[in-house]
Amino acid sequence: VYLNMSSKEEFDFEVSGNADVIVEGDLEATLSAGKDLVLYAKANSLFQVNGDLSLSNSGGSGKALIHADGGHGTFEINGNLTLSSTAAYREVEVRVDKNNNVVDVRRNILMAAEAEGTVAVNLNAKSNLYLGGNIVRSSPSAYGSFSMATGATLTLNGTTQVQQLVSDKPTTNGSD
């Protein structure tokens, strides 16, 4: 499935109120123009991708965002999660807010950014991230940030003996 936000407006795909969305295969969501592209899982809902999920911002003025919010909102990604920003000020974020919201990534989180501060994973209080693989920042710039607030939970549930949270050191003077 391919979503491309290319107009001047905002695109919100919201799942809430005990609803489920299941994508059989891969999902690629791209913000190539416009304000924001937001995938929401809210209020006891499930947004499941039975393959890889790729979220990128190549030209939007706002943010490409995966947002678990509203109490027991869950994203389940049964493959890799790729977060990609191709230019400065093109933000891409995974935000897991409080009240037992969950993002479950069965394989790797792959971050690719051309500038610092553009790709991030943010866990707020009482939020959960389950990770079956590694967090990988792509070379050559190796930007991408990962933050957890007090009370957030990261569960490493991979089947290998070693899981890497950040596998590359930035080669520039960036802060993330």
Side-chain angles (χ1 to χ4, degrees):
V1 175
Y2 181 71
L3 301 173
N4 182 20
M5 176 58 183
S6 60
S7 73
K8 295 180 181 179
E9 302 301 320
E10 181 173 306
F11 178 80
D12 293 337
F13 188 129
E14 181 177 316
V15 183
S16 65
N18 297 308
D20 295 344
V21 167
I22 299 171
V23 176
E24 294 294 345
D26 298 336
L27 173 60
E28 184 176 337
T30 301
L31 178 60
S32 59
K35 296 179 184 173
D36 293 311
L37 176 109
V38 184
L39 305 177
Y40 284 108
K42 294 183 170 184
N44 300 307
S45 64
L46 172 67
F47 196 118
Q48 179 177 330
V49 178
N50 289 328
D52 295 334
L53 172 55
S54 175
L55 183 67
S56 64
N57 187 343
S58 62
S61 61
K63 184 179 287 191
L65 176 66
I66 293 172
H67 194 183
D69 188 20
H72 299 282
T74 300
F75 278 90
E76 183 179 294
I77 301 152
N78 290 310
N80 290 319
L81 171 59
T82 301
L83 307 172
S84 174
S85 170
T86 61
Y89 309 108
R90 304 296 183 230
E91 295 181 57
V92 179
E93 179 185 4
V94 174
R95 184 182 314 149
V96 190
D97 281 335
K98 58 186 178 183
N99 299 324
N100 299 308
N101 295 294
V102 174
V103 171
D104 184 354
V105 180
R106 303 289 168 88
R107 293 189 64 208
N108 300 309
I109 297 175
L110 308 169
M111 298 180 180
E114 297 296 320
E116 67 180 307
T118 56
V119 173
V121 175
N122 294 311
L123 305 178
N124 294 314
K126 296 184 181 178
S127 65
N128 301 282
L129 172 65
Y130 297 94
L131 181 62
N134 302 317
I135 297 176
V136 180
R137 296 188 295 192
S138 299
S139 294
S141 59
Y143 292 116
S145 68
F146 179 85
S147 67
M148 294 176 61
T150 301
T153 302
L154 170 63
T155 302
L156 302 173
N157 58 359
T159 57
T160 62
Q161 290 184 346
V162 177
Q163 284 183 262
Q164 296 178 352
L165 294 187
V166 178
S167 62
D168 289 326
K169 181 180 177 186
T171 57
T172 64
N173 293 326
S175 62
D176 55 347

